[in-house]
Amino acid sequence: MCGLVGVVSPDFSLDALQNMLDKIEHRGPDDHGVWEQGNVFLGHRRLSIHDLSAAGHQPMQSITGRFTIVFNGEIYNFEEIRQQLPKINWRGTSDTEVMLHAFETWGVEKSLKLFNGMFAFALWDKHEQCLTLARDRFGEKPLYYGVINEHFTFSSELTCIEAEFGEHLSINRDAIAKQASVSYIPAPLSVYCEINKLMPGSYIQYKSGSLGEVKYYWSLSEIVDRGRNNQFSNEVEAVDSLHGELKKAVKLRMAADVPLGAFLSGGVDSSLVVSLMQSQSDKPINTFSIGFDVPDYNEAEFAKAVANRLGTAHHEKYFSPADVLDLVPRLGAMFDEPFSDASQMPTFLVSAMAKEKVTVALSGDGGDELFSGYNRYTATPDIWRKVSNIPARKAIARTLQAMPVSVLNKLFFFLSKKAESYGRKGPIGSKIKTLSTWLEAKDIEDFYKQSITHWKSNDVLVEGANYPYLHDFLSTNDVKFDEFGEWMMYLDSVTYLAGDILTKVDRTAMNVSLEGRIPLLDPNVVGAAWRMPLSIKQKGKVGKWPLKQILYEYLPRDMMERPKMGFGVPIHEWLRAELKEWAQDLLSFERLKAQGLYNPSLVQEALINHLRYEENNAAKLWDILMVQAWLDADVKRSSRL
């Protein structure tokens, strides 16, 4: 795992490149290198995983000198690819050298289709005088790019670009509005108007001073269509095939020349990954879990039971609310653009803990989106069937929205148990208030988008934002689904997974120089998942059926049959207590008015109602608080508004 930067310009220098590179030392503390040829400047920070010798140093040139690369990530099947390539005098044993020889032999696009890995890279072709940027299938590794003041520049993190080109950057208010909807800024947007994120599964080329169009070498929609046309004939075939692909995916990701382990929450996905790791290891693997001294937010005891049963070398650490809250001032600097999924805090804590023992950690991310793991996948169709038949539901919605939460608590107390069955604990009033906004949806797709959206009227919330209302970036028109549950999983896979989950894992792990690997996103596992109809993935209201059948071969069924807990922290309570003063300061009417970014009246109303227990506005407030924390992390950022 590494970090990369680069510039194509006749008016640049290696000193300026080094200044950019210094901003991402945490992504690669083991080595660094810079390279120039004419007007092309490439820089690299290295976290050594394979071939720890100088033979793995980057920037690296191909054996003929035609190609030069800076590469962030891992190609897990590089040994297999190496066997398919013409024989040469290999200088080392790194995957980077294999990539270069593949480009020499097959060209860029064919090579990309063969790579099984997580990656972002920049490749300079001396013969064609062309620079290619590429990103892995799901977007596990980040890559930003743009043309600024006649400089084409790119990097793993925006802080590098800010370091040299900050005076030319302007904050993208449309992007800020979208972040207020879903907690992240969706690709291809970035927080700056002048910079884009490269889309997952794509590449783009810069040649003769011109930036070409984004080209896709892979798309999930093609995998979905292919899977539909080649579905498993029965459940036994589906589970057996998936089991085999998962074992191979985990084995590939266990290859490293440095200490390796896994995150273990005690849930289905992480327990399955650890089970498959331990079954293919001749010694106890390192597993890591954290616990909280907060009811309903502690899975450490379940993780420990799984570790004991499997015989791993388990490490756990308990944190108090004060320990977690100490992180809050650091979050604005940890994420190079605003990001507001509050599980960023426990994810960082477990990463920092793991780094004390290992350099690589496997995780179970991706299982929910592929195998119907989120409660909302079963709850949404069920709720919509009920509410869509309510007469005059839009009028009822407006009436409910006008009622205080305290009144709604009394009126709908009898629904509390039902809400808990959907995984929604706590007072019923705030949930009815939220549901009332969803009742205005025009159809089930709109209903789902409403349910995963925080701020609804973002064109009013963010001053100067200009875009259509509500989730205009969530397009699924390229695929038609028979089952709505499949539509939700697909939607989340192409938006939430890359924009939220993978961003969180990358930034928190790389902040402590830890490489995270995700076996469930192996392309062969993904292909097997989409060969399964929803009736195999989901039994009644319970998802992940095929994963559980595999897991029960390693762990007792009764150990794993418990409600899904998630990986979060009680932000809603902390904002009313320990974080109250901090939040009131960052969201004060005076600050917001002077800033000119948000509508201060809307924000203040949300804050006051939350503090009075009238509403649970934690997610909405955290969206804005993380923007404020990001702005405060660099005093120059406010001048770019």
Side-chain angles (χ1 to χ4, degrees):
M1 199 70 65
C2 309
L4 56 90
V5 299
V7 174
V8 181
S9 171
D11 181 24
F12 206 62
S13 68
L14 284 179
D15 287 342
L17 187 73
Q18 187 64 56
N19 182 44
M20 296 175 70
L21 198 57
D22 289 344
K23 301 301 180 183
I24 52 171
E25 182 179 358
H26 55 277
R27 297 190 75 93
D30 298 330
D31 188 21
H32 73 280
V34 295
W35 176 90
E36 68 172 317
Q37 186 177 86
N39 63 348
V40 181
F41 298 81
L42 303 178
H44 186 263
R45 298 266 359 171
R46 185 184 182 196
L47 178 63
S48 302
I49 304 294
H50 288 295
D51 192 349
L52 310 186
S53 73
H57 176 79
Q58 296 185 46
M60 184 184 292
Q61 285 191 313
S62 64
I63 196 165
T64 66
R66 175 179 176 177
F67 292 104
T68 305
I69 193 172
V70 283
F71 161 55
N72 168 28
E74 301 288 345
I75 306 299
Y76 301 119
N77 64 335
F78 78 97
E79 293 281 11
E80 177 186 340
I81 292 174
R82 182 170 174 150
Q83 297 304 314
Q84 300 172 26
L85 289 165
K87 295 188 181 300
I88 60 172
N89 292 321
W90 296 97
R91 294 166 293 187
T93 58
S94 72
D95 52 351
T96 312
E97 189 177 4
V98 171
M99 293 173 72
L100 286 166
H101 194 27
F103 297 137
E104 291 265 15
T105 305
W106 299 313
V108 172
E109 183 157 332
K110 182 178 179 180
S111 298
L112 282 168
K113 291 180 178 180
L114 291 173
F115 293 161
N116 178 348
M118 55 175 183
F119 54 83
F121 65 77
L123 179 74
W124 173 247
D125 183 341
K126 183 173 67 174
H127 291 183
E128 296 294 329
Q129 293 289 290
C130 175
L131 183 77
T132 299
L133 304 182
R135 195 175 180 201
D136 64 66
R137 290 167 175 80
F138 278 96
E140 293 182 58
K141 295 294 102 189
L143 189 54
Y144 295 89
Y145 69 95
V147 179
I148 306 175
N149 197 28
E150 300 183 355
H151 294 69
F152 178 67
T153 185
F154 55 89
S155 66
S156 295
E157 295 187 14
L158 278 174
T159 49
C160 308
I161 297 174
E162 287 178 316
E164 278 300 312
F165 303 104
E167 63 184 295
H168 303 289
L169 299 175
S170 55
I171 288 177
N172 187 335
R173 290 173 179 252
D174 292 1
I176 293 292
K178 288 178 170 62
Q179 179 264 343
S181 286
V182 290
S183 300
Y184 60 89
I185 296 174
L189 296 180
S190 85
V191 71
Y192 291 120
C193 297
E194 298 77 11
I195 301 296
N196 281 341
K197 299 186 191 81
L198 187 61
M199 293 294 289
S202 76
Y203 66 97
I204 194 168
Q205 295 180 315
Y206 185 79
K207 185 176 182 179
S208 303
S210 178
L211 187 62
E213 294 184 358
V214 174
K215 298 178 181 179
Y216 290 86
Y217 64 89
W218 183 90
S219 73
L220 185 59
S221 62
E222 292 179 2
I223 303 303
V224 172
D225 286 339
R226 196 180 306 158
R228 270 204 189 133
N229 295 326
N230 186 30
Q231 287 194 342
F232 291 115
S233 59
N234 56 64
E235 293 174 349
V236 173
E237 181 191 11
V239 172
D240 287 347
S241 179
L242 177 61
H243 194 174
E245 295 297 353
L246 281 169
K247 287 181 72 173
K248 287 187 286 186
V250 168
K251 187 67 174 177
L252 279 174
R253 285 157 183 78
M254 290 175 67
D257 296 329
V258 293
L260 172 141
F263 301 136
L264 179 60
S265 69
V268 171
D269 301 331
S270 67
S271 297
L272 179 55
V273 168
V274 169
S275 296
L276 293 168
M277 290 176 72
Q278 191 59 70
S279 70
Q280 299 179 88
S281 176
D282 57 4
K283 59 182 180 181
I285 64 167
N286 286 292
T287 52
F288 303 91
S289 66
I290 58 173
F292 299 107
D293 299 323
V294 180
D296 297 326
Y297 290 88
N298 180 31
E299 286 190 301
E301 60 188 272
F302 303 114
K304 187 174 183 178
V306 170
N308 289 339
R309 181 77 183 205
L310 294 173
T312 71
H314 191 56
H315 312 274
E316 67 176 12
K317 184 181 289 188
Y318 275 78
F319 294 90
S320 67
D323 296 325
V324 183
L325 294 170
D326 284 343
L327 271 180
V328 172
R330 300 171 55 186
L331 295 176
M334 190 180 300
F335 290 82
D336 53 331
E337 61 179 354
F339 180 84
S340 46
D341 180 340
S343 65
Q344 62 202 132
M345 290 185 281
T347 306
F348 171 80
L349 291 172
V350 74
S351 297
M353 175 194 173
K355 180 59 180 177
E356 296 174 4
K357 299 286 184 180
V358 301
T359 306
V360 175
L362 275 64
S363 79
D365 294 296
D368 290 308
E369 292 81 3
L370 289 173
F371 297 98
S372 189
Y374 294 125
N375 292 328
R376 60 180 181 261
Y377 293 156
T378 55
T380 301
D382 189 24
I383 296 172
W384 177 251
R385 278 192 294 270
K386 294 177 173 65
V387 303
S388 60
N389 293 319
I390 296 175
R393 57 186 169 86
K394 292 186 178 181
I396 293 172
R398 289 190 289 272
T399 301
L400 292 174
Q401 289 167 29
M403 290 184 179
V405 169
S406 57
V407 174
L408 294 174
N409 278 329
K410 295 177 181 178
L411 285 176
F412 295 96
F413 71 93
F414 58 92
L415 291 177
S416 295
K417 291 292 184 183
K418 189 66 174 176
E420 288 185 17
S421 72
Y422 291 129
R424 302 284 183 174
K425 294 183 179 180
I428 192 65
S430 60
K431 295 169 183 57
I432 295 295
K433 178 79 77 171
T434 299
L435 178 62
S436 68
T437 66
W438 306 350
L439 291 177
E440 298 178 289
K442 60 184 180 182
D443 55 32
I444 190 170
E445 291 186 8
D446 190 34
F447 182 74
Y448 182 61
K449 290 178 180 180
Q450 292 272 8
S451 73
I452 57 176
T453 300
H454 300 165
W455 290 91
K456 304 297 191 293
S457 303
N458 294 324
D459 50 338
V460 177
L461 173 70
V462 179
E463 306 285 358
N466 178 29
Y467 62 94
Y469 172 70
L470 188 65
H471 273 84
D472 56 298
F473 61 95
L474 297 184
S475 174
T476 58
N477 295 330
D478 52 342
V479 186
K480 300 300 180 185
F481 294 94
D482 298 326
E483 297 274 3
F484 187 69
E486 292 182 328
W487 180 87
M488 288 187 285
M489 286 187 282
Y490 176 83
L491 179 69
D492 285 347
S493 294
V494 297
T495 55
Y496 174 71
L497 181 60
D500 188 312
I501 301 297
L502 299 181
T503 298
K504 175 181 64 180
V505 171
D506 176 81
R507 300 307 193 279
T508 54
M510 290 310 300
N511 189 267
V512 294
S513 306
L514 178 76
E515 172 168 304
R517 296 180 177 179
I518 307 177
L520 288 169
L521 294 185
D522 183 281
N524 296 312
V525 173
V526 175
W530 282 103
R531 289 183 63 193
M532 298 180 188
L534 189 61
S535 60
I536 290 181
K537 296 178 182 178
Q538 185 178 299
K539 300 293 184 181
K541 294 185 178 181
V542 181
K544 295 186 183 175
W545 186 84
L547 294 183
K548 291 174 181 176
Q549 304 320 299
I550 299 170
L551 182 57
Y552 296 154
E553 296 188 27
Y554 300 92
L555 292 169
R557 183 183 295 261
D558 58 2
M559 180 177 283
M560 301 309 303
E561 289 187 344
R562 56 185 177 82
K564 182 179 178 65
M565 184 176 288
F567 195 47
V569 288
I571 287 293
H572 60 294
E573 291 298 338
W574 289 349
L575 287 174
R576 293 169 177 144
E578 293 92 341
L579 291 177
K580 179 180 177 180
E581 186 175 337
W582 171 77
Q584 287 177 318
D585 179 52
L586 289 185
L587 303 182
S588 71
F589 188 95
E590 293 75 20
R591 174 183 169 122
L592 295 177
K593 183 71 174 177
Q595 196 177 64
L597 179 61
Y598 294 108
N599 181 324
S601 298
L602 276 180
V603 177
Q604 277 289 298
E605 181 183 10
L607 177 61
I608 291 169
N609 287 343
H610 184 81
L611 295 178
R612 290 176 176 172
Y613 289 81
E614 283 290 307
E615 297 172 355
N616 181 358
N617 290 324
K620 297 169 72 171
L621 296 171
W622 198 250
D623 289 333
I624 299 175
L625 286 165
M626 286 298 97
V627 172
Q628 302 300 321
W630 177 80
L631 288 167
D632 285 354
D634 183 342
V635 294
K636 297 178 182 178
R637 287 172 177 163
S638 293
S639 65
R640 299 168 191 154
L641 284 167

